């Protein structure tokens, strides 16, 4: 495997797959697709790959077809050290020449931000498909990587009847750092502080650079850090949440999409609740929800106990922070009154942002194999109706074992999550009642662990029994 440069933090999984892809390309024809939301470090990773292997890297920009061809020609001329100035009449000629020049070396070819090219030159994927097929038939050597941030476009490259379907040997999605890794990247050792920072910036690597390495020194510094970074109009992070939405190619009426995200961030996260919030009919917002899902800005999570029911959640923490804290007071923030805005918004930060975000961290924690003694098959949330008491019990973290045909679904754990509440006996009793309800519904609950997840700690007077587990921030970040 290629040695990963020291300047790349983690990304072991991605580097291993890219290294194997390059190795295969020295003997055969390989096509790979690399995607991921903006700011995740895709370009940083692929530039390093090209540098380490002597490969060709071209980063596309928003430009006309003619200008893109000129830029591509210049980049290829520099790479090939050609004394003859390259000028291509069209992409058909350019791609043929690329495969001839770069294909002979067995080194990787990287075309970054490919959606910029395919948008103004729709025939480009078909041209690449033809040249890939030709290279395969001739026993060529090639490792071509197409990369892009427009998730819907990149996903469509290999879908359905798309020209490149069936040609790819690598499909790699570069994701944000998970929360424990993000804490290491930001060099934050205090779990309480790490959780709060993650609720603002998530696991996006580029945001540390956006802030020139500004990291809160302690919990006492967190409020000041918010004021001097994300709420400061002089930092790139201040407007980043707006750019994330407006940069997506499929989004036309950004105001409507902002309203949809605002509804979800505020807790109106069912289709009906979102429609009511923005003043539309539920049937009229299906397209907008699909677009936000396709662009990985929104995700739909099914209710694990009620078939056909689901809720939507904002996929990017910074967007939630923007919708709940910043957007309602945008004028005041632009005029430099961040301190007053933050003082007023701090309770909303804990209830509307930290609460739901902490629930998501707990569900990610429960996905780890050894947490409840085995490999989870599914982790989610759901509501149980208690007809005897005419109420509903919300299960924030439900962990199921892998399904076995013909056997009842085994529940490994059910849990309740509280960010700001000290947890104790009453929370456990509610979980016991939920476990009884699940047993009545036919679930296998004989070994179900009752889990209390708290960001504020646990009642010292409560002594849990063997079927109860208390999980705090130190356990989540251990």
């Amino acid at each position: 495997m290629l040695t990963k440069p020291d300047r790349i933090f983690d990304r072991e999984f991605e580097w291993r797959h890219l290294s194997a892809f390059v190795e295969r390309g020295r003997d055969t024809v390989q096509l790979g697709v690399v995607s991921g939301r903006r700011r995740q470090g895709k370009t940083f990773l692929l530039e390093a790959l090209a540098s380490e292997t002597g490969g060709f890297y071209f980063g596309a920009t928003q430009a006309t077809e003619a200008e893109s061809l000129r830029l591509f020609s210049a980049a290829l001329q520099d790479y090939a050290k050609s004394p003859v100035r390259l000028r291509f009449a069209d992409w058909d000629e350019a791609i043929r020449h690329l495969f001839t020049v770069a294909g002979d070396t067995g080194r990787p070819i990287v075309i970054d931000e490919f959606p910029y090219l395919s948008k103004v030159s729709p025939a480009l994927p078909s041209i690449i498909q033809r040249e890939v097929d030709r290279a395969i038939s001739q026993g060529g050597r090639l490792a071509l990587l197409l990369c892009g941030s427009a998730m819907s476009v990149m996903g469509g490259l290999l879908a359905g009847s798309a020209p490149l379907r069936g040609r790819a040997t690598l499909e790699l999605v570069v994701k944000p750092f998970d929360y424990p890794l993000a804490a290491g990247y930001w060099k934050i050792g205090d779990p309480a502080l790490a959780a709060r920072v993650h609720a603002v910036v998530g696991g996006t690597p580029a945001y540390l650079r956006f802030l020139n390495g500004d990291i809160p020194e302690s919990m006492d510094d967190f409020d000041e850090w918010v004021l001097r970074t994300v709420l400061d109009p002089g930092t790139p992070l201040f407007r980043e949440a707006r750019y994330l939405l407006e940069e997506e190619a499929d989004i036309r009426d950004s105001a409507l999409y902002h309203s949809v995200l605002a509804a979800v961030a505020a807790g109106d996260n069912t289709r009906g609740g979102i429609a009511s919030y923005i003043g539309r009919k539920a049937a009229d917002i299906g397209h907008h929800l699909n677009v936000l899902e396709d662009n990985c800005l929104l995700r739909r999570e099914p209710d694990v106990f009620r078939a056909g029911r689901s809720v939507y959640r904002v996929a990017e923490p910074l967007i939630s922070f923007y919708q709940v804290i910043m957007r309602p007071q945008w004028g005041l923030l632009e005029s430099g009154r961040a301190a007053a805005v933050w003082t007023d918004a701090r309770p909303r930060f804990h209830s509307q942002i930290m609460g739901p975000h902490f629930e998501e961290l707990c569900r990610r924690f429960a996905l780890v194999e050894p947490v409840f003694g085995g490999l989870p098959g599914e982790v989610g949330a759901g509501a149980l109706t208690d007809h005897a008491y005419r109420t509903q019990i919300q299960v924030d973290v439900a962990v199921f074992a892998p399904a076995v045909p013909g056997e009842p679904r085994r529940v490994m754990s059910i849990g309740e999550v509280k960010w700001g509440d000290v947890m104790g006996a009453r929370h456990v009793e509610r979980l016991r009642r939920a476990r009884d309800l699940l047993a009545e519904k036919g679930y296998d609950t004989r070994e179900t662990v009752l889990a209390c997840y708290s960001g504020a700690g646990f009642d010292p007077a409560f002594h849990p029994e063997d079927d109860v587990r208390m999980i705090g921030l130190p356990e989540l970040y251990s």
Side-chain angles (χ1 to χ4, degrees):
M1 186 176 79
L2 291 170
T3 301
K4 182 170 68 70
D6 293 338
R7 64 183 181 276
I8 298 177
F9 178 83
D10 194 69
R11 297 302 188 198
E12 303 292 344
F13 174 85
E14 292 85 352
W15 190 260
R16 174 165 55 86
H17 280 277
L18 290 170
S19 295
F21 176 84
V22 170
E23 289 292 333
R24 294 193 301 269
R26 289 172 178 163
D27 300 313
T28 59
V29 175
Q30 300 285 305
L31 172 67
V33 173
V34 179
S35 61
R37 293 208 326 263
R38 300 182 190 281
R39 323 292 191 251
Q40 304 311 320
K42 300 183 301 299
T43 295
F44 188 64
L45 196 63
L46 294 176
E47 283 182 334
L49 182 74
S51 176
E52 292 294 314
T53 58
F56 171 70
Y57 174 89
F58 174 69
T61 59
Q62 289 181 309
T64 64
E65 183 176 46
E67 185 184 8
S68 295
L69 274 167
R70 281 199 298 272
L71 295 172
F72 181 82
S73 302
L76 190 55
Q77 180 178 333
D78 288 344
Y79 175 73
K81 296 181 172 56
S82 173
V84 180
R85 184 180 181 185
L86 297 179
R87 291 190 67 98
F88 301 122
D90 51 32
W91 280 110
D92 188 84
E93 182 183 351
I95 297 300
R96 281 204 313 271
H97 190 83
L98 171 69
F99 275 44
T100 300
V101 172
D104 288 342
T105 67
R107 296 169 182 168
I109 303 167
V110 179
I111 301 180
D112 201 358
E113 292 301 350
F114 183 74
Y116 289 152
L117 302 180
S118 62
K119 181 180 179 181
V120 295
S121 307
L124 188 53
S126 296
I127 295 170
I128 292 174
Q129 173 244 311
R130 184 198 64 206
E131 294 304 315
V132 166
D133 290 349
R134 179 180 296 168
I136 292 174
S137 67
Q138 295 175 353
R141 299 179 301 154
L142 186 74
L144 172 61
L145 285 167
L146 306 179
C147 178
S149 303
M151 297 297 289
S152 58
V153 177
M154 297 304 295
L157 284 178
L158 306 177
S161 59
L164 295 175
R165 178 171 173 78
R167 271 76 178 181
T169 58
L170 174 70
E171 188 173 4
L172 185 64
V173 180
V174 180
K175 299 179 180 179
F177 292 140
D178 203 6
Y179 70 93
L181 200 57
Y185 182 71
W186 283 73
K187 297 182 174 62
I188 300 176
D190 180 356
L193 179 59
R196 286 167 171 82
V197 171
H198 194 270
V200 178
V201 296
T204 299
Y207 293 161
L208 183 57
R209 178 175 53 82
F210 278 22
L211 302 179
N212 294 308
D214 188 345
I215 300 168
E217 297 177 358
S218 65
M219 280 295 300
D220 292 338
D221 187 40
F222 177 73
D223 288 340
E224 286 298 321
W225 175 81
V226 170
L227 293 177
R228 67 178 182 258
T229 57
V230 66
L231 296 186
D232 185 340
T235 66
L237 204 60
F238 181 74
R239 295 174 178 81
E240 172 67 6
R242 302 175 76 155
Y243 295 156
L244 285 175
L245 188 65
E246 292 163 2
E247 286 175 343
E248 297 300 338
D250 295 335
I251 291 176
R252 301 289 185 264
D253 183 1
S254 61
L256 180 56
Y257 286 97
H258 273 297
S259 294
V260 171
L261 291 168
V264 177
D268 292 302
N269 53 9
T270 64
R271 183 181 284 242
I274 297 168
S276 177
Y277 183 96
I278 66 176
R280 298 287 182 94
K281 294 180 180 179
D284 296 338
I285 63 172
H287 170 73
H288 304 87
L289 294 173
N290 290 336
V291 168
L292 289 171
E293 279 191 84
D294 289 344
N295 288 286
C296 297
L297 298 177
L298 205 63
R299 63 176 181 270
R300 184 173 62 87
E301 298 181 356
D303 186 315
V304 294
F305 301 125
R306 298 182 292 180
R309 299 195 181 188
S310 60
V311 297
Y312 289 89
R313 304 190 195 279
V314 178
E316 170 54 56
L318 185 63
I319 290 180
S320 291
F321 187 89
Y322 167 75
Q323 296 293 348
V324 173
I325 306 298
M326 302 175 68
R327 186 164 171 256
Q329 301 290 355
W330 188 253
L332 292 178
L333 289 172
E334 284 194 311
S335 65
R337 299 178 63 186
V341 171
W342 180 239
T343 299
D344 177 69
R346 196 180 292 114
R348 294 199 306 278
F349 173 74
H350 287 283
S351 61
Q352 295 184 35
I353 294 179
M354 280 309 311
H357 189 74
F358 185 55
E359 289 180 15
E360 175 60 22
L361 298 191
C362 293
R363 284 189 285 270
R364 294 188 197 177
F365 170 82
L367 280 168
V368 179
E369 181 177 341
V371 170
F372 296 108
L375 180 67
E378 180 184 7
V379 175
L384 294 167
T385 301
D386 189 343
H387 295 288
Y389 295 94
R390 296 182 180 180
T391 187
Q392 280 196 339
I393 300 177
Q394 180 67 34
V395 177
D396 300 315
V397 184
V399 185
F400 297 92
V404 178
E407 294 185 10
R409 193 77 187 275
R410 183 164 67 91
V411 183
M412 299 173 68
S413 174
I414 54 174
E416 183 170 353
V417 179
K418 297 295 181 185
W419 167 249
D421 294 348
V422 174
M423 301 185 75
R426 62 188 179 90
H427 301 95
V428 173
E429 288 308 310
R430 186 157 50 238
L431 289 172
R432 290 195 190 282
R433 179 57 183 162
R435 185 170 60 184
D436 292 342
L437 293 172
L438 288 173
E440 293 173 7
K441 289 177 173 290
Y443 290 91
D444 181 354
T445 61
R446 291 172 295 176
E447 298 179 352
T448 300
V449 176
L450 307 179
C452 292
Y453 304 83
S454 176
F458 305 94
D459 184 351
F462 175 68
H463 301 287
E465 298 178 22
D466 291 342
D467 62 342
V468 178
R469 184 167 174 188
M470 317 301 274
I471 300 169
L473 283 166
E475 287 77 21
L476 256 67
Y477 278 88
S478 62

